[in-house]
Amino acid sequence: MKKITLEMPVVRNCMASECAYNVNSACHARAITIGDATHPGCDTFLKGLSHIRQIQQIAGIGACKTSICKFNEDLECMADNIQVGMIKSEANCMTFALR
Ligand code: SF4
Ligand code: SF4
């Protein structure tokens, strides 16, 4: 496998316990994608069994499409880290702040 090293903000914690990538309130995907243009939902959310093989891995923010957020530059997240939580039945970036 070809490996790349990138600096990106991380998911500090995530309260979406139903998501397959969530173990003990941490996201263990390699990287997640947030949003559409106006709504910062977690596109990587997958309801299901835990993804426990990669428990040592902490997710980065690979891309964010929510360009109205003040932390968004050129469709990338520039926050130090983000928190993800549930709003109604949807996982959302709680660090989102309108420009
Ligand atoms: S909802 Fe998103 S941030 Fe939370 S564990 Fe799932 S993929 Fe990761
Ligand atoms: S803080 Fe803003 S730019 Fe970063 S992931 Fe959340 S919505 Fe996107």
Side-chain angles (χ1 to χ4, degrees), residues 16-22 42-51 91:
S17 57
E18 297 179 353
C19 178
Y21 292 105
N22 191 303
C42 179
D43 265 6
T44 311
F45 175 86
L46 176 67
K47 191 168 181 169
L49 296 174
S50 288
H51 180 72

Side-chain angles (χ1 to χ4, degrees), residues 16-92:
S17 57
E18 297 179 353
C19 178
Y21 292 105
N22 191 303
V23 182
N24 299 330
S25 303
C27 179
H28 297 281
R30 276 187 189 152
I32 67 167
T33 299
I34 294 288
D36 60 23
T38 57
H39 180 74
C42 179
D43 265 6
T44 311
F45 175 86
L46 176 67
K47 191 168 181 169
L49 296 174
S50 288
H51 180 72
I52 52 175
R53 281 193 308 151
Q54 296 297 342
I55 197 164
Q56 75 284 6
Q57 177 170 279
I58 299 294
I61 320 304
C64 177
K65 294 171 269 178
T66 310
S67 55
I68 60 169
C69 176
K70 73 176 186 183
F71 296 109
N72 194 296
E73 279 181 29
D74 199 21
L75 300 176
E76 306 285 359
C77 180
M78 296 298 168
D80 288 339
N81 55 63
I82 72 164
Q83 297 188 69
V84 176
M86 296 300 288
I87 297 182
K88 295 184 180 163
S89 58
E90 194 184 80
N92 276 269

